[in-house]
Amino acid sequence: FFSCMSRQGNEATFSAFKQAQLRHRRQGDNPCRTDDLPGVVDFGIGTDDRIIKLEIRDRLPDGEGLYQGPIYGLKGFPGFMFAPQALADELQTTIAFECVTNFCESQHRTNIDLCPPKQSELPNFDESMWELWKKTKDDDESNHSSKKASKKRGSKKAKLQQTGQKSYRSFKKLSWATMGYHYDWTERSYNKESKSAMPDIMSNLAKVFAKTLLALDNGDESELRPEELNFAPEAAIVNYYNTKSLMGGHRDELEIALDKPVVSVSMGLSAVFLLGGKTKEEEPVVPILIRPGDVTCLGGDARLNYHSMARVLPHSVPLPDVKPSLCADDNQRLTVESIKSDKEPEAEDLFKISEVDLRGLNEYLMEHRININVRQVYP
């Protein structure tokens, strides 16, 4: 975690944000804990008095392209927007499959690319990440089924597997991938000369929610100018989480276009997200349950608020069913077809997933969470 300590007199105390992280973190001896969930804001059931319903302005220069489902905010956090169950299952599946097959490949950049192969590692650049993950799962199943037999036989194959050369590229190493403008972690800035293509599916999706947030009714009677609803998706980061992962408290403050929101979409496992204030000492720090298919946005006054992911919830953790009346209905949920541009082919021709890959993807999403954040970098 970043600077999470503050001093009061001679006594060192944890900041409010750090205390919230400790309250909601994963417990090694109880990874499926639910004791803290009653205090977590759940937009899907809507029983928390901290939740407020958000509305779009009556007078807009262009009302097309806005999200039509219910949107919510939090008291005391203007600029924060939450759209529960906003993505149809097939859109979640499509985006998740792109994350594990295309977004993490060489045309973009991953955390693995920052460190060259060690001498002890096999430089397996010709293998795709997705094929590597499927191979790992097959090997795990094979090793599990033959574990007892291998112990009895002391097989040469088992010994070779234990002493074999590790691969440079592997899904176990993968924690993030970036698209569009790539962030330079050393210089702590974006570089206009370092970029990859922003996938249309993420660009189109982000525009819908960014435009919706920018069109929110904030009590201002004046009519918005058309350019105030513009949003250029220029950079995205994909976070790949397992059930032991967390994200430390931070602010997204290095973009120049801070008047534009950050759009965040989630697939796979649910998680506990923390939203704080402008400093880590500010209270309250609100825990929020994020389910697959939920979309969150940080814009306006909340654009520079501290936030983090306290923990990923294993699939076996029981969660209450969402109330359909509080979430998008079938006609409001976004689909691959509804967000594609007129120039793109029909949805069924855009993304095709084999039955084998679909089974593998479903297995992956039972064990992982994928989160994608899209933002505008330059004015």
Side-chain angles (χ1 to χ4, degrees):
F1 302 112
F2 306 109
S3 58
C4 53
M5 300 290 287
S6 61
R7 290 191 173 274
Q8 297 177 352
N10 295 324
E11 182 181 1
T13 60
F14 286 123
S15 67
F17 202 94
K18 177 63 173 180
Q19 291 179 47
Q21 288 178 303
L22 294 174
R23 280 196 301 273
H24 298 285
R25 68 179 177 179
R26 177 182 181 272
Q27 296 176 346
D29 58 347
N30 185 21
C32 295
R33 61 177 295 212
T34 59
D35 58 293
D36 63 325
L37 295 185
V40 173
V41 174
D42 186 347
F43 288 93
I45 60 174
T47 56
D48 199 300
D49 61 7
R50 291 171 287 187
I51 297 174
I52 55 176
K53 184 77 182 293
L54 300 179
E55 302 292 344
I56 303 297
R57 294 190 188 204
D58 291 331
R59 294 189 298 167
L60 292 174
D62 177 15
E64 294 187 5
L66 299 180
Y67 176 63
Q68 300 301 313
I71 49 177
Y72 303 94
L74 283 173
K75 291 179 181 177
F77 292 88
F80 172 76
M81 186 181 84
F82 195 102
Q85 305 296 280
L87 309 184
D89 289 345
E90 55 93 22
L91 179 56
Q92 294 181 56
T93 297
T94 300
I95 295 175
F97 192 62
E98 288 294 291
C99 288
V100 298
T101 58
N102 291 327
F103 297 170
C104 57
E105 292 300 334
S106 58
Q107 65 269 33
H108 303 295
R109 180 177 293 175
T110 73
N111 61 292
I112 299 174
D113 300 326
L114 298 184
C115 300
K118 298 177 182 177
Q119 288 187 345
S120 59
E121 293 178 325
L122 180 68
N124 55 336
F125 295 101
D126 58 336
E127 295 183 277
S128 72
M129 294 298 292
W130 182 235
E131 291 303 320
L132 285 169
W133 186 80
K134 290 193 293 184
K135 183 190 296 185
T136 300
K137 295 300 293 184
D138 290 341
D139 289 345
D140 288 346
E141 292 177 6
S142 176
N143 291 339
H144 180 73
S145 61
S146 62
K147 188 175 181 180
K148 292 182 180 179
S150 296
K151 283 184 177 180
K152 290 180 180 179
R153 293 195 305 266
S155 70
K156 292 182 179 180
K157 182 178 179 182
K159 292 178 181 178
L160 285 173
Q161 287 175 339
Q162 292 172 2
T163 59
Q165 192 174 15
K166 290 184 177 181
S167 297
Y168 167 60
R169 302 180 78 233
S170 74
F171 238 106
K172 289 184 179 180
K173 284 186 178 181
L174 183 65
S175 58
W176 56 258
T178 56
M179 304 172 291
Y181 288 115
H182 299 303
Y183 182 72
D184 188 320
W185 299 91
T186 302
E187 298 295 330
R188 286 183 58 77
S189 65
Y190 290 94
N191 184 344
K192 284 191 174 183
E193 304 304 316
S194 177
K195 66 180 296 188
S196 60
M198 176 66 71
D200 287 340
I201 191 169
M202 295 314 306
S203 180
N204 297 342
L205 177 62
K207 286 179 181 178
V208 172
F209 290 100
K211 185 175 181 178
T212 302
L213 185 143
L214 293 169
L216 289 178
D217 185 355
N218 59 5
D220 189 345
E221 296 290 331
S222 63
E223 185 172 342
L224 284 170
R225 300 187 305 275
E227 59 270 22
E228 292 183 86
L229 294 178
N230 291 343
F231 177 78
E234 295 178 315
I237 182 166
V238 185
N239 293 303
Y240 302 85
Y241 297 116
N242 60 44
T243 53
K244 294 182 179 180
S245 300
L246 57 78
M247 174 69 75
H250 65 283
R251 304 197 307 169
D252 296 318
E253 60 186 354
L254 296 171
E255 294 76 28
I256 299 174
L258 292 175
D259 58 328
K260 302 298 183 180
V262 175
V263 179
S264 176
V265 301
S266 298
M267 290 79 63
L269 295 175
S270 298
V272 176
F273 172 81
L274 299 179
L275 179 61
K278 301 296 185 297
T279 70
K280 289 192 173 183
E281 285 69 32
E282 281 187 44
E283 296 188 65
V285 178
V286 180
I288 300 167
L289 177 64
I290 297 183
R291 293 181 170 87
D294 291 343
V295 177
T296 62
C297 297
L298 284 177
D301 189 64
R303 178 63 174 78
L304 293 177
N305 282 32
Y306 275 94
H307 54 279
S308 77
M309 188 203 68
R311 76 176 187 276
V312 175
L313 303 179
H315 182 72
S316 57
V317 172
L319 295 175
D321 293 334
V322 300
K323 295 180 180 179
S325 61
L326 299 177
C327 303
D329 60 33
D330 290 340
N331 294 321
Q332 295 169 329
R333 289 190 185 94
L334 298 189
T335 65
V336 175
E337 182 66 30
S338 69
I339 64 170
K340 77 176 186 64
S341 67
D342 295 335
K343 298 179 181 179
E344 294 176 282
E346 294 299 316
E348 58 267 23
D349 298 324
L350 276 172
F351 307 97
K352 294 183 179 179
I353 307 176
S354 70
E355 291 186 8
V356 172
D357 281 334
L358 184 58
R359 287 197 297 271
L361 178 65
N362 288 334
E363 185 175 357
Y364 178 84
L365 294 176
M366 290 275 284
E367 302 171 354
H368 299 81
R369 175 180 185 246
I370 298 177
N371 174 252
I372 312 176
N373 297 298
V374 183
R375 63 205 68 201
Q376 179 171 332
V377 178
Y378 300 103

